[in-house]
């Protein structure tokens, strides 16, 4: 693709990346076949190819309108198009750059701005989010069913003893996950203990930066990333083997620290090392000898939903499924497993109509195999699907841990 970037953007360090990505696109249109919003809306501008064209127009100095902003807002950033693209277009990175520039040029209404600000100021902070969640639980019995389903009841975590081991790895506690489903990381601790791996928590670490980053608060997101690097660095220097992430959405972002901080002279090298050490827990279990894990008979059928951040963002399609199958679980078939469930971080809140359509389609596909349980690998997907699912929805680590002897 030919580009002619406007002079007003040339001083922006991200624009060189954007131009390179734009030039790699050949407009073949393969991406539209796997784009969830294009499938729902049938509008070229609500597919990757159309949005790439819009971003090109923006960077070449053409008029930026609220219509442009709307089409970019509707993108899930699921990155299914990246998996499909034969040219290797890094669409996810491009749309983040495009959104930030458009949001700077097109002011949002108060009605649009307030939810985005609240999401950025509450969700990444467990100390702020936890009281609101507990208050919601207090009033849960009298809430309408539509709201009640969005407030999952706390589940027992089970006994966890993280004893000292020779091998040590860091674990990211997460934001919403640490409040709503702490049993996920507890399950991870128990499983890895059986493999003689001790999990360490850096108290000063916090949100991975995803919420701010995806809501065009670029510098705010980078500050979350810098804080995590500072918190993890002493442990890395002491020999921590990996940084384990059990929420695939967070894992995708942490693996991108190197890219996002490459222009930061102070943090670039450290960010690169952190990205190298960042691992979804499925990668750890995939590479370990699991013969020491003794499982009870797993006489249940599991429908596994692979989050977009796992299969497209991290390109780990099939890894969890293989682990569960080897552990003795029966996995049901799922039609169109590449399609998003509609959670997509804050998308389910900011684009509720499209999100609910995608959720209904996803649950229909998951329920078709008549599973006993739905498993997934990301807290956002887990909460979103649990709001309407006909069977329990759990993190796959909990499913595995429940069947370990």
């Amino acid at each position: 693709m030919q580009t002619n970037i406007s002079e007003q953007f040339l001083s922006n360090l991200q624009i060189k990346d954007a131009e390179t990505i734009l030039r790699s696109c050949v407009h073949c249109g393969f991406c539209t076949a796997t784009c969830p919003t294009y499938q729902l809306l049938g509008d070229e501008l609500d597919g990757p190819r159309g949005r790439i064209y819009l971003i090109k127009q923006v960077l070449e100095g053409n008029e930026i309108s609220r219509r442009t902003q709307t089409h970019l807002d509707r993108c899930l950033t699921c990155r299914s198009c990246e998996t499909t693209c034969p040219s290797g277009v890094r669409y996810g990175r491009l749309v983040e750059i495009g959104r930030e520039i458009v949001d700077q040029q097109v002011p949002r209404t108060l009605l649009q701005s307030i939810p985005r600000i609240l999401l950025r100021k509450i969700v990444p902070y467990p100390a702020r989010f936890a009281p609101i969640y507990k208050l919601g639980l207090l009033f849960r019995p009298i809430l309408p069913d539509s709201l009640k389903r969005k407030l999952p009841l706390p589940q027992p975590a089970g006994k966890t003893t993280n004893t000292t081991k020779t091998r040590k790895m860091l674990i990211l506690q997460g934001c919403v996950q640490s409040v709503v489903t702490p049993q996920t990381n507890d399950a991870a601790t128990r499983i890895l203990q059986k493999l003689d791996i001790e999990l360490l928590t850096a108290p000063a670490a916090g949100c991975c930066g995803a919420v701010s980053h995806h809501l065009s608060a670029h510098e705010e997101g980078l500050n979350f990333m810098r804080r995590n690097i500072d918190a993890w660095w002493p442990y890395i220097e002491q020999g921590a083997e990996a940084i384990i992430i059990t929420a695939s959405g967070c894992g995708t972002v942490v693996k991108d620290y190197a890219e996002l901080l490459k222009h930061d002279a102070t943090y670039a090298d450290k960010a690169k090392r952190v990205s190298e050490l960042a691992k979804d827990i499925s990668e750890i279990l995939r590479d370990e000898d699991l013969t020491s894990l003794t499982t009870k008979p797993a006489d249940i059928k599991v429908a596994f939903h692979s989050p977009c951040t796992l299969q497209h963002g991290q390109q780990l399609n099939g890894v969890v499924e293989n682990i569960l199958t080897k552990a003795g679980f029966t996995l049901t078939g799922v039609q169109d497993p590449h399609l998003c469930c509609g959670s997509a971080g804050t998308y389910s809140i900011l684009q509720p109509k499209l999100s609910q359509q995608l959720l209904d389609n996803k649950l229909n596909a998951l329920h078709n195999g008549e599973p006993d349980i739905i498993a997934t690998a990301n807290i956002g997907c887990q909460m979103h699907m649990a709001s309407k699912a006909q069977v329990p929805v759990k993190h796959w680590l909990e499913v595995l841990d429940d069947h370990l002897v």
Side-chain angles (χ1 to χ4, degrees), residues 6-26:
S6 172
E7 289 187 9
Q8 64 177 308
F9 297 120
L10 293 179
S11 61
N12 187 328
L13 293 175
Q14 300 184 88
I15 297 305
K16 186 175 181 181
D17 292 339
E19 184 173 26
T20 301
I21 298 169
L22 284 170
R23 286 177 176 270
S24 66
C25 177
V26 297

Side-chain angles (χ1 to χ4, degrees), residues 220-402:
E220 183 178 88
L222 293 181
N223 284 335
F224 278 114
M225 299 173 197
R226 294 180 183 112
R227 182 186 68 179
N228 285 344
I229 292 170
D230 288 339
W232 290 328
W233 200 250
Y235 298 90
I236 293 172
E237 290 183 317
Q238 293 165 22
E241 287 184 43
I243 301 170
I244 302 295
I245 300 123
T246 56
S248 61
C250 299
T252 301
V253 173
V254 177
K255 289 183 176 183
D256 275 349
Y257 277 17
E259 171 68 21
L260 297 169
L261 286 164
K262 67 182 180 182
H263 299 301
D264 187 321
T266 303
Y267 283 89
D269 290 341
K270 289 182 178 180
K272 182 179 179 182
R273 181 59 179 152
V274 164
S275 290
E276 291 169 350
L277 291 175
K279 303 289 182 185
D280 184 83
I281 191 165
S282 65
E283 294 178 89
I284 301 298
L285 296 183
R286 176 195 63 192
D287 298 336
E288 293 292 320
D289 180 5
L290 302 184
T291 54
S292 61
L293 296 181
T294 306
T295 58
K296 296 176 284 188
D299 54 347
I300 60 171
K301 292 194 295 181
V302 179
F304 181 69
H305 164 63
S306 183
C308 301
T309 45
L310 188 71
Q311 61 172 313
H312 305 308
Q314 299 187 56
Q315 295 292 307
L316 293 174
N317 203 18
V319 175
V320 173
E321 294 92 323
N322 287 338
I323 294 170
L324 291 176
T325 300
K326 288 178 180 178
F329 294 95
T330 300
L331 267 62
T332 63
V334 180
Q335 186 177 1
D336 295 328
H338 63 283
L339 291 179
C340 183
C341 70
S343 172
T346 59
Y347 193 91
S348 61
I349 297 171
L350 299 175
Q351 300 286 337
K353 184 178 179 181
L354 290 173
S355 175
Q356 287 300 308
Q357 288 179 265
L358 292 166
L359 175 60
D360 290 341
N361 292 342
K362 177 57 65 175
L363 287 177
N364 285 337
L366 290 164
H367 287 143
N368 274 343
E370 299 183 349
D372 299 299
I373 195 167
I374 294 171
T376 189
N378 190 53
I379 176 63
C381 303
Q382 183 178 343
M383 292 177 64
H384 190 52
M385 292 189 297
S387 70
K388 279 189 173 182
Q390 298 169 12
V391 297
V393 182
K394 290 188 176 184
H395 195 287
W396 70 274
L397 287 172
E398 296 177 65
V399 178
L400 179 60
D401 180 56
D402 286 346

Side-chain angles (χ1 to χ4, degrees), residues 102-113:
V102 170
D103 284 353
Q104 290 168 354
Q105 303 290 324
V106 182
R108 293 186 182 275
T109 65
L110 188 63
L111 196 61
Q112 289 178 320
S113 298

Side-chain angles (χ1 to χ4, degrees), residues 73 103 108 112-120 215 350:
D73 284 349
D103 284 353
R108 293 186 182 275
Q112 289 178 320
S113 298
I114 288 175
R116 291 169 176 269
I117 293 170
L118 289 175
L119 287 167
R120 285 171 38 217
L215 290 177
L350 299 175

